[in-house]
Amino acid sequence: MPGENLSRDEARERAALLSVDGYDVSLDVRSALGDGPSQNGAPRTFRSVTTIRFRCAEPGATSFADLIAPSVTAVSLNGRDLDPSEVFDGSRIVLEDLAADNELVVDAQCAYSRTGEGLHRFVDPEDGEVYLYTQYEPADSRRVFANFEQPDLKAPFRFEVRAPEEWTVWSNGSGQLADGVWRFAETKPISTYITCVVAGPYHYVTDSYSRTFADGTTLEIPLGAMCRKGLAPYFDSDDVFLVTKQGLDFFHDHFDYPYPFGKYDQAFVPEYNLGAMENPGMVTFREEFIFRGKVTRASYEGRANVILHEMAHMWFGDLVTMVWWDDLWLKESFADFMGTFANVGATRFKDAWITFANRRKAWAYRADQLPSTHPITADIRDLQDAKLNFDGITYAKGASVLKQLVAYVGQDAFLEGARRYFKRHAYGNTRLGDLLSVLEETSGRDMGAWSRSWLQTAGVNSLTPQVLLDAEGRIDELAVVQEAAESHPELRPHRVAVGLYRRTEAGTLERFAQAEVDVEGPRTVVAELAGAQAPELVLVNDEDLTYCKTRFDETSLATLRAALGDMTDPLARALCWSALWNMTRDALLPARDFVGLVLRFAGRESDIGVLQMLHAWANSSLVHYAAPGWRPTGERLVAEGALRELRVAEAGSEQQLAWARFFASVASGSEDLGLLRGLLEGSEKIEGLDVDQELRWTFLEPLAAHGVADESVLAAELARDDTASGKRHQVRCLAARPSQAVKAQAWAQVVESDALSNALVEATISGFGQPSQRELLAPYAEKYFAAIERVWAERSIQIGMDVVRGLFPGLQQSRATLDATDAWLAAHEDAAPALRRLVLEARDDLARGLRGQACDAAAADASSAG
């Protein structure tokens, strides 16, 4: 990655100097067909010819264009030929003696990607077909064509593509094939990172959307959806189009700004690093959103949320774009909030705020307690910083804060602010102040103090109830105590609902009183609840209005231990589960207690998304937070509990499927593994459980990890499922096998070679780190610290991130591993800041796990002493 890291200062200087009038980009991807690299081990390349028309505010000045390419054939500036060897250094083209009006033409050989960055080339093992797609954010369009790679140098783009005869090509604008060339309509002014090309023999389905506005005008939007031909039998495009139309209706109702980018295509593409990308008119998604087997409602809800998230970006991010990545939240926080807001308001997923509270905010809480936490408006010095800031703060915390903002200013004022923001800044770039000014206009509130507290400071507050009763057993005083971490001491204003719960004669745990209050400072009295009956449970963030860690008083915690499954309100129940999980992570609740609560009450959980999250948290409790001495007992208890719930779940239900997957993830004893093998072979049956191909792979991974399924078994399964998906599963299972030779091979394939694609790197890393193989993996701790700086320097940032995060020796849970991490950090103070950040985050997770283990062990000691 050397020489590729554009800084904020460089971007600011270039934006002050240059204005871009337009791009013409011509790509020739006919070289995508055929086997192997071009020659002599060199990368396979395609021709890219770019013409950029731009102005310079200071004629005679020097600037540069961005391009990452193996070679440049020709460069001309204002009709003057430049020597590529003199002006191109592998990532930049120096532009000297600029005129007031300029035309730059660059003819280059660019490389196809195997890491999902730039123009990715995928060969389908099922039928040999080749598929291409681009992915750029934050700065990989320069791997495909020469440009000015920063979000505030917007311009219209015209693309043309020469492709194999039998292919179809798509881009941001509508396209036509003539004389062997696909030519696409000029775009509106957009940033480089959201341009897009998709090409290949994709299965393509069409539909249309129509909207008549109050003034009588009608908007027609052609809709398209595509996937690889091998996935066509599973492609439920009708549901994709249904959610798409519902979203377009919703956003037109609320934004009062017609969709501005013509058509709306959605491509589900292979080996995709992200969930999706908001390229205007040509949205790309990971193809795992096409479900090859049975999935739960939570998977369909998640897909709908992503569709709507990307659609919200058409306004927040594409129409109006941040100046620089410091204000990434101006698009991602809004899209994350709007995805759930629209899911609840427009689709069948009316409980999506429960998923948000339980899943998305868990991501934010973790990120906000890492040493790398940052304000929502972050300090982004360069592109490597930007790449790492697509995180739980920018997305989920930002969305949580916007949810609170809606409660603070009112939904009508918030949406009117958005409408003015779009109209005022259409096709332009903005900063934080631009949004705050319109919200001040529409709400009449001073947004400065709110912004300083919520957007410009880091860390998460905790809120704890204090209840004092009078002589008659009623509330004399109820207060909310707010605390903050020493490292981030900001106490924020919180608009919260405080709920009081008691058990009824029917045995349910129900809310009987609630009050909304503005929490400010270290202690806030909730006067409205004085005189109420003594509660058995106080929930200080009822309705999930704010972003905080919820704590419980002793009475409330005792009630949850006894009656959590009796809560009838699904959102309140999800909030309690989330709070208990945060307490486990913070070493305030022993891991064995959390596991016990899951075993006791998860079988009664009605929300399938919450249930699946509980399974993940219980697994994490065993792996990271349980005392090593108790872990084998916990694993046995969890496996027994999962099997028990699997057998009693309704036949064919999504709960049965969720428990089957969870059972597979915790199975380790010979009887459990024998059952999994019997279910695969057909000698065992569980009524209603359809062991489809995806579930077969789910069962095979633990069998491989425990040495029951060998290479021949996995090869036979691949023959049964000889597809791209099957290959990824097989690679993961192969790396999971418990042998020194297997681990050495997997390590070499990922760390010492770049032969694997991004998807197979991810699969290999996933299989490599098995919790049941801690001793087998111990030698790789030293190897990890010896390798990561080299990997970071030599590989793409995406692969570097995958390796540094995925291979950190976090399963070696000891002081020695912490010391080794600290030693590396001390010896590499000058390492890339983004690399140091990843190592610091992994260290923090390890230290948190050790504190949790100490808490769990102390609880066992106290129990023994008692």
Side-chain angles (χ1 to χ4, degrees), residues 720-790:
R720 175 191 178 105
D721 182 26
D722 192 9
T723 64
S725 301
K727 182 62 177 177
R728 289 195 297 272
H729 288 309
Q730 187 220 18
V731 166
R732 185 181 69 253
C733 292
L734 285 171
R737 292 171 296 155
S739 93
Q740 290 181 354
V742 163
K743 300 305 175 186
Q745 182 184 36
W747 179 271
Q749 288 174 330
V750 170
V751 176
E752 308 301 336
S753 168
D754 63 357
L756 294 181
S757 70
N758 56 319
L760 296 185
V761 166
E762 180 184 352
T764 303
I765 290 174
S766 176
F768 181 86
Q770 296 293 321
S772 61
Q773 299 168 3
R774 295 170 197 265
E775 291 184 11
L776 188 61
L777 297 171
Y780 291 94
E782 184 178 350
K783 294 180 180 181
Y784 171 87
F785 292 112
I788 55 174
E789 192 169 29
R790 172 179 57 81

Side-chain angles (χ1 to χ4, degrees), residues 308-602:
L308 297 169
H309 173 119
E310 302 309 322
M311 187 180 293
H313 272 312
M314 299 299 122
W315 291 266
F316 284 108
D318 293 359
L319 177 67
V320 184
T321 312
M322 69 274 157
V323 170
W324 178 249
W325 302 101
D326 305 69
D327 282 313
L328 177 63
W329 81 281
L330 280 173
K331 74 184 189 75
E332 293 302 347
S333 298
F334 275 87
D336 217 47
F337 169 78
M338 284 292 172
T340 303
F341 185 52
N343 226 1
V344 172
T347 76
R348 63 189 184 274
F349 303 110
K350 301 304 180 186
D351 292 331
W353 284 121
I354 297 177
T355 304
F356 181 85
N358 194 245
R359 183 179 294 270
R360 297 300 283 181
K361 291 180 85 169
W363 182 28
Y365 293 142
R366 175 189 175 270
D368 213 5
Q369 295 173 86
L370 291 169
S372 58
T373 187
H374 55 86
I376 293 171
T377 54
D379 179 25
I380 304 299
R381 297 161 295 185
D382 53 38
L383 291 176
Q384 287 193 14
D385 278 358
K387 182 75 171 179
L388 267 63
N389 260 45
F390 289 82
D391 60 10
I393 304 294
T394 303
Y395 283 71
K397 180 181 180 180
S400 303
V401 167
L402 290 176
K403 190 169 186 276
Q404 165 133 345
L405 177 62
V406 172
Y408 177 62
V409 304
Q411 181 173 304
D412 290 343
F414 175 78
L415 291 171
E416 177 58 27
R419 290 188 279 269
R420 295 186 189 184
Y421 179 71
F422 300 144
K423 292 170 183 174
R424 195 166 298 173
H425 301 289
Y427 305 110
N429 296 84
T430 57
R431 296 182 174 90
L432 167 64
D434 298 309
L435 178 68
L436 296 183
S437 65
V438 295
L439 289 173
E440 286 183 348
E441 291 173 15
T442 58
S443 69
R445 291 179 178 266
D446 176 8
M447 298 303 299
W450 177 87
S451 172
R452 286 189 292 275
S453 290
W454 281 105
L455 301 181
Q456 295 166 273
T457 60
V460 56
N461 301 136
S462 61
L463 302 182
T464 307
Q466 283 185 347
V467 182
L468 299 176
L469 301 179
D470 60 22
E472 298 179 356
R474 292 183 172 272
I475 293 178
D476 183 52
E477 182 183 84
L478 191 156
V480 177
V481 175
Q482 179 177 190
E483 296 175 288
E486 289 183 12
S487 56
H488 300 285
E490 179 82 11
L491 297 181
R492 300 183 178 89
H494 297 265
R495 181 69 177 176
V496 300
V498 179
L500 307 183
Y501 291 76
R502 290 182 63 88
R503 276 174 278 207
T504 67
E505 292 182 1
T508 56
L509 187 60
E510 305 273 3
R511 182 192 304 120
F512 68 89
Q514 186 190 74
E516 287 197 16
V517 63
D518 291 316
V519 171
E520 296 189 8
R523 192 172 187 272
T524 302
V525 174
V526 188
E528 295 92 328
L529 294 177
Q533 291 182 344
E536 294 181 71
L537 167 68
V538 180
L539 186 55
V540 294
N541 189 25
D542 215 5
E543 309 292 346
D544 196 37
L545 297 183
T546 194
Y547 171 80
C548 72
K549 289 196 292 187
T550 297
R551 302 299 197 205
F552 300 109
D553 62 327
E554 290 186 9
T555 299
S556 297
L557 186 55
T559 299
L560 291 174
R561 290 180 185 274
L564 175 53
D566 297 326
M567 292 190 80
T568 55
D569 185 315
L571 177 57
R573 196 170 60 243
L575 292 170
C576 289
W577 278 119
S578 176
L580 292 167
W581 174 239
N582 278 320
M583 291 174 65
T584 305
R585 294 188 73 249
D586 291 345
L588 298 175
L589 182 71
R592 67 191 66 198
D593 289 8
F594 183 81
V595 168
L597 288 165
V598 171
L599 291 176
R600 184 172 181 187
F601 297 122

